[in-house]
Amino acid sequence: MNVASPTCRFDFSIDVPDWLKAALDDSDPHGLLSNLSPNEVDLVRRAFQFGYDLHEGQCRASGEPYIAHPVAVAGLLRELGGNGATIAAGFLHDVVEDTDITSEELEIHFGEEVRRLVEGVTKLSKFNFSSKTERQAENFRRMFLAMAQDIRVIVVKLADRLHNMRTLTHLAPAKQKRIAQETLDIFAPLANRLGIGRFKWELEDLSFKYLDGEAYAQIRDLVADKRGDRESRIHAVASTLSERLQAVGISGFEVSGRPKHLYGIYTKMQRQQKDFTEIYDIAAVRVIVNSNDECYRALAIVHDAFNPIPGRFKDYIGLPKPNRYQSLHTGVIGKGGRPIEVQIRTADMHHVAEYGIAAHWKYKESGSSQSQWTAEDEKFTWLRQLLDWQHDLKDAQEYLDSIKDNLFEDDVYVFTPEGDVVALKQGATPVDFAYRIHTEVGNHCAGAKVDGRIVPLDSHLHNGSIVEIITQKNSHPSLDWLNFVVTPSARNRIRQWYKRSHRDENVARGREMLEKELGKSGFEALLKSEPMKMVAERCNYHSVDDLLAAVGYGEVTLNQVVNRLQDTVKVQQTPPEVPSFEETTRSLMSKAIPQQSPSKGSKSPIAGIEGMVYHIAGCCKPVPGEPIIGVVTRGDRGISIHNQHCNNVSSVPGERLVPVSWNSQEEAGRVPTYPVDISIEVLDRVGVLNDILSRLKDNNINVHSAQVRTTEGKPAVIDLGIGIRDLGQLDRTFAQIRQMSDVLNMRRLQEGRVS
């Protein structure tokens, strides 16, 4: 049954593209939906109607109906050749986030394939995170995981971002800059990684427009001013090449010129430190022929007709880029002595250059299985690395930095001794190469040969070099390697090795922390008990020692272990020889001095000493959330407030002890901070202190003092004096800093008690 025409069924105040009208009318005389089956056209129509009804009454910042955005996104996906499910996901990509519809309901209406695509691009707006950085990192973690299951997820996301960038002018300037920076850092490189050149160039230019409007306008005007001269030069080169190609019998070719996009010109000016007038190759001539053989024949003709510029030839046909881009690039001296770039490729190569991963969609069957869309192909090695780092990098900022590093395209191509090609970042070293081959090759790297000659490990690799790694069983990573490796995978593997090498220290530290929390009585038997093994398994660790190491390093907090242990003991009968949870903690609790209930209406942070002079003891420096006790001083300093577990309290006579407790911050009437000294052992690198301070800033923690101690070849030690509101804030901060890859150890310094 035909659906009523848009003018009857829908009240549009937006332009309806012809392809959508054809889908709604169930007629396609112009073949606008010829790549879709009847069932797919029906799916597209139903998805639009569903999205239209759900978004009805919603408006964008521009004031236009919200449905204009899903229509535009679906249109971009159609241009890329997406199947029915992909285009339907374009219409529906915001319904889970912006309406009351759930993923489960979406699957009932449109199937599992559409639900998976929509779910992959949905933001985590219903979750709570401690910072914008953590929210952004978690969004990307989820997005990359969804990409691994179905690569179309990121294509839908890119179409969504491109239309948002096209309409960014309606947002506040601060939001424009934030979104533009994220686009330039993440989404434009992602489009490049997937080979979707037409998305990449527009995303970069639009980001450039909002990040540096003055430079954007200046380059745009300069390019426009030089248009006549540029077109004249391109026409002269194109005419010459056309005549030469015809003369040697190459037919069916196409020669055209194109200006380079504005952001590309800008980055070249910045990289080469040149003015616009010094950048001559702001345009390129593209030659499209029929076969690989004709590409190389055309190259010979170009070099015969014009003088080639040394060092400007690149063969991306023989060695394709990681995103599968193929073309021959060469620079020549054109008419009037001006340099010009010439690109030579086949029509299929050009299609891949424009559409990237989407260029292969037409070879997929409609309703294909999920496995056909996964990222198992070798060209997605970078994506698998990002997924691996989701487990290795717990810190949000480090994960974002790794994403940004890894998304920028590889520039150096080297060979293994067996002749396999390995793509690396510009400036890569033999150590980067070793870790790209395998983690253990990197961990046991003792030397390297490049083209048969032994070279220093910090040597930069160059295109075409044959690299051989010399390994030894007793060799291990050096801290110095962090000063010259450039690939995120190498940096992360080196850090991980150093963390694992400190395992024994972490196990001992975790044991000590847990023993202080639970008490010594029955502690050893508890560690060997079945409940403790179950706790380790619930925390995803293979053994109790692994759990203790995680506690010592900070991946798991004491509260998590204690709470899960308590839950396990409650539901399981404890063997007679193993004390119960309550029994193991009885010795600790028996030492606790009864605390007085807070006095309502008190404005003092300490309850039990109202009207008396007091001070926080400098030996243990307790903070709210820790059990405290007052000690009457012999001088005129009044009551000294100690942690109940402070060693200095044990020798104080009972008559000098005063039961006290913390008032709630609301009762205290203000939120004071308390001094805490911490010591952090880190891998010594430039910027590590700044990264730690940024975490403290994110948690609104003031730093009163800082001291850094370094010893050549050994980890650095950073001692900080900070102001803390309560124990919860301290625990959260410790957890965030301990998750940093460069942090080996972190502890709180207390003279009366070290934790």
Side-chain angles (χ1 to χ4, degrees):
M1 181 178 67
N2 288 353
V3 175
S5 66
T7 55
C8 297
R9 168 66 177 81
F10 303 104
D11 179 19
F12 281 116
S13 55
I14 62 170
D15 291 331
V16 184
D18 290 339
W19 68 270
L20 179 54
K21 290 179 181 177
L24 294 173
D25 288 336
D26 202 15
S27 62
D28 190 16
H30 303 293
L32 298 173
L33 299 170
S34 58
N35 65 311
L36 303 181
S37 69
N39 286 338
E40 287 181 301
V41 173
D42 177 66
L43 178 66
V44 168
R45 178 172 57 244
R46 289 190 294 110
F48 167 74
Q49 293 171 339
F50 198 72
Y52 181 92
D53 291 338
L54 287 173
H55 289 301
E56 190 171 12
Q58 296 179 347
C59 293
R60 307 197 78 211
S62 61
E64 66 180 340
Y66 193 88
I67 192 63
H69 173 62
V71 167
V73 172
L76 288 169
L77 295 170
R78 174 191 158 273
E79 290 176 20
L80 291 179
N83 68 351
T86 308
I87 298 172
F91 284 126
L92 301 169
H93 73 277
D94 276 336
V95 297
V96 174
E97 181 180 353
D98 293 339
T99 74
D100 293 331
I101 198 75
T102 65
S103 296
E104 291 74 19
E105 292 171 320
L106 199 66
E107 182 169 349
I108 292 172
H109 288 285
F110 298 100
E112 189 271 340
E113 186 179 4
V114 173
R115 189 270 305 161
R116 185 177 66 246
L117 291 171
V118 172
E119 207 170 50
V121 297
T122 299
K123 298 175 184 175
L124 301 183
S125 57
K126 297 179 182 178
F127 291 78
N128 294 316
F129 299 100
S130 60
S131 67
K132 289 182 179 179
T133 300
E134 188 175 339
R135 175 186 293 275
Q136 186 186 36
E138 193 59 37
N139 279 330
F140 285 123
R141 288 182 198 273
R142 181 171 178 175
M143 184 174 70
F144 288 125
L145 185 59
M147 284 170 59
Q149 296 172 334
D150 193 327
I151 202 67
R152 291 174 297 172
V153 165
I154 192 55
V155 183
V156 177
K157 186 66 179 178
L158 287 172
D160 171 49
R161 178 52 63 105
L162 179 55
H163 185 252
N164 281 332
M165 289 299 297
R166 287 175 176 177
T167 57
L168 201 60
T169 183
H170 301 287
L171 300 183
K175 198 168 186 179
Q176 289 175 346
K177 287 185 178 295
R178 178 181 62 77
I179 294 174
Q181 190 64 60
E182 182 184 70
T183 300
L184 195 61
D185 288 343
I186 303 293
F187 290 101
L190 263 175
N192 183 53
R193 275 293 193 179
L194 296 175
I196 310 177
R198 60 182 306 177
F199 276 20
K200 168 188 179 280
W201 299 322
E202 189 173 355
L203 287 170
E204 287 182 340
D205 279 356
L206 288 170
S207 299
F208 179 33
K209 174 182 177 181
Y210 289 103
L211 291 173
D212 193 343
E214 185 177 341
Y216 172 86
Q218 182 182 22
I219 294 176
R220 179 197 60 200
D221 294 343
L222 288 169
V223 169
D225 288 343
K226 301 290 183 180
R227 180 178 178 180
D229 177 56
R230 181 177 66 251
E231 291 182 346
S232 175
R233 288 188 292 112
I234 289 176
H235 178 73
V237 172
S239 297
T240 300
L241 291 180
S242 296
E243 293 173 2
R244 296 288 190 100
L245 290 168
Q246 287 177 339
V248 298
I250 296 178
S251 61
F253 61 83
E254 178 186 332
V255 182
S256 61
R258 65 166 185 87
K260 292 193 173 180
H261 65 297
L262 303 183
Y263 184 70
I265 297 172
Y266 172 77
T267 54
K268 180 169 288 190
M269 290 170 59
Q270 298 297 310
R271 185 172 62 250
Q272 298 180 3
Q273 293 295 300
K274 291 183 177 180
D275 188 71
F276 179 84
T277 56
E278 300 176 273
I279 303 293
Y280 294 115
D281 54 342
I282 63 172
V285 170
R286 181 175 294 145
V287 180
I288 297 179
V289 292
N290 300 305
S291 65
N292 288 17
D293 178 64
E294 288 185 351
C295 286
Y296 290 100
R297 290 174 63 193
L299 175 67
I301 291 170
V302 171
H303 283 178
D304 183 57
F306 304 99
N307 291 326
I309 302 173
R312 293 291 299 274
F313 170 65
K314 294 180 180 178
D315 184 354
Y316 293 121
I317 294 179
L319 287 175
K321 289 186 177 183
N323 62 10
R324 314 315 294 164
Y325 174 90
Q326 289 184 289
S327 185
L328 298 177
H329 290 194
T330 187
V332 298
I333 302 298
K335 301 296 183 180
R338 303 285 292 275
I340 193 166
E341 182 180 81
V342 180
Q343 301 172 354
I344 308 169
R345 62 183 67 149
T346 66
D348 285 342
M349 293 176 189
H350 180 62
H351 190 63
V352 171
E354 292 289 307
Y355 296 97
I357 184 64
H360 303 285
W361 286 358
K362 62 182 179 181
Y363 303 114
K364 305 285 187 180
E365 295 181 2
S366 298
S368 60
S369 65
Q370 178 179 336
S371 62
Q372 286 183 287
W373 299 101
T374 59
E376 291 304 313
D377 194 288
E378 54 86 20
K379 59 179 169 288
F380 294 117
T381 300
W382 58 274
L383 176 56
R384 292 198 299 274
Q385 288 177 342
L386 288 175
L387 293 172
D388 289 342
W389 297 338
Q390 292 193 13
H391 305 291
D392 300 337
L393 297 180
K394 308 294 185 181
D395 181 75
Q397 187 60 56
E398 284 188 291
Y399 181 65
L400 289 178
D401 291 342
S402 292
I403 290 174
K404 294 173 184 177
D405 277 349
N406 202 53
L407 286 180
F408 287 99
E409 194 170 353
D410 301 323
D411 292 317
V412 177
Y413 299 86
V414 296
F415 295 93
T416 67
E418 291 74 28
D420 296 326
V421 179
V422 176
L424 297 165
K425 289 181 65 174
Q426 191 71 252
T429 66
V431 175
D432 294 290
F433 175 87
Y435 278 104
R436 177 61 61 85
I437 298 302
H438 195 278
T439 299
E440 289 306 306
V441 174
N443 285 343
H444 296 289
C445 175
K449 291 182 179 180
V450 176
D451 296 329
R453 301 178 61 182
I454 294 179
V455 299
L457 290 178
D458 61 353
S459 303
H460 289 180
L461 300 178
H462 301 285
N463 281 322
S465 295
I466 300 174
V467 184
E468 180 182 356
I469 300 299
I470 302 169
T471 60
Q472 293 179 357
K473 288 185 178 180
N474 296 329
S475 296
H476 59 76
S478 167
L479 283 175
D480 293 336
W481 292 1
L482 291 173
N483 296 324
F484 57 75
V485 294
V486 299
T487 54
S489 56
R491 283 200 302 270
N492 293 327
R493 299 309 182 211
I494 294 167
R495 290 164 171 166
Q496 287 172 22
W497 186 90
Y498 268 90
K499 286 183 179 180
R500 287 197 300 270
S501 71
H502 286 67
R503 173 181 164 80
D504 291 343
E505 297 175 20
N506 289 328
V507 170
R509 187 178 304 110
R511 176 187 290 265
E512 179 185 356
M513 293 167 65
L514 196 58
E515 185 178 13
K516 285 181 179 178
E517 186 70 21
L518 301 180
K520 293 184 179 180
S521 177
F523 181 73
E524 292 299 326
L526 182 65
L527 287 184
K528 299 175 183 178
S529 70
E530 191 62 29
M532 188 56 103
K533 293 178 182 177
M534 294 176 64
V535 171
E537 291 176 1
R538 286 185 62 191
C539 294
N540 297 317
Y541 294 99
H542 295 296
S543 67
V544 174
D545 276 354
D546 289 342
L547 176 63
L548 293 175
V551 172
Y553 175 62
E555 283 188 348
V556 177
T557 66
L558 275 176
N559 285 340
Q560 288 176 307
V561 175
V562 172
N563 289 339
R564 290 186 177 181
L565 179 59
Q566 191 170 21
D567 292 341
T568 304
V569 169
K570 284 181 180 178
V571 299
Q572 181 175 342
Q573 178 65 38
T574 307
E577 68 274 10
V578 180
S580 67
F581 180 84
E582 289 77 7
E583 290 172 334
T584 59
T585 59
R586 188 172 296 155
S587 62
L588 177 67
M589 298 305 295
S590 65
K591 298 176 185 178
I593 300 174
Q595 298 181 3
Q596 179 176 321
S597 299
S599 302
K600 291 185 178 181
S602 170
K603 297 302 181 183
S604 169
I606 309 296
I609 54 171
E610 287 75 9
M612 302 177 67
V613 176
Y614 73 92
H615 66 275
I616 302 298
C619 54
C620 53
K621 295 183 178 179
V623 297
E626 296 180 315
I628 54 175
I629 186 70
V631 176
V632 179
T633 63
R634 289 193 172 89
D636 56 358
R637 299 188 65 194
I639 306 297
S640 179
I641 307 300
H642 291 256
N643 189 301
Q644 285 188 11
H645 308 299
C646 178
N647 293 334
N648 293 335
V649 174
S650 59
S651 59
V652 176
E655 63 270 14
R656 290 177 55 200
L657 299 178
V658 179
V660 294
S661 63
W662 298 102
N663 271 328
S664 68
Q665 294 181 347
E666 291 79 6
E667 290 172 325
R670 57 192 178 92
V671 185
T673 60
Y674 299 85
V676 171
D677 295 325
I678 60 176
S679 181
I680 310 170
E681 186 180 9
V682 299
L683 299 177
D684 190 11
R685 68 162 175 84
V686 175
V688 67
L689 175 59
N690 185 61
D691 289 347
I692 291 172
L693 294 178
S694 70
R695 269 63 171 187
L696 295 173
K697 181 181 178 183
D698 287 344
N699 285 279
N700 295 316
I701 293 175
N702 191 29
V703 178
H704 304 300
S705 63
Q707 182 182 15
V708 180
R709 290 173 281 139
T710 61
T711 304
E712 187 174 353
K714 294 184 178 181
V717 178
I718 300 173
D719 294 328
L720 299 175
I722 59 178
I724 292 293
R725 292 193 304 271
D726 54 39
L727 187 61
Q729 185 188 35
L730 182 62
D731 288 343
R732 289 192 300 273
T733 304
F734 262 48
Q736 288 185 16
I737 294 178
R738 277 174 169 155
Q739 287 174 356
M740 294 175 58
S741 298
D742 293 305
V743 174
L744 300 175
N745 183 22
M746 182 176 182
R747 61 194 180 114
R748 178 179 171 189
L749 300 177
Q750 296 171 291
E751 295 178 16
R753 175 172 163 269
V754 179
S755 60

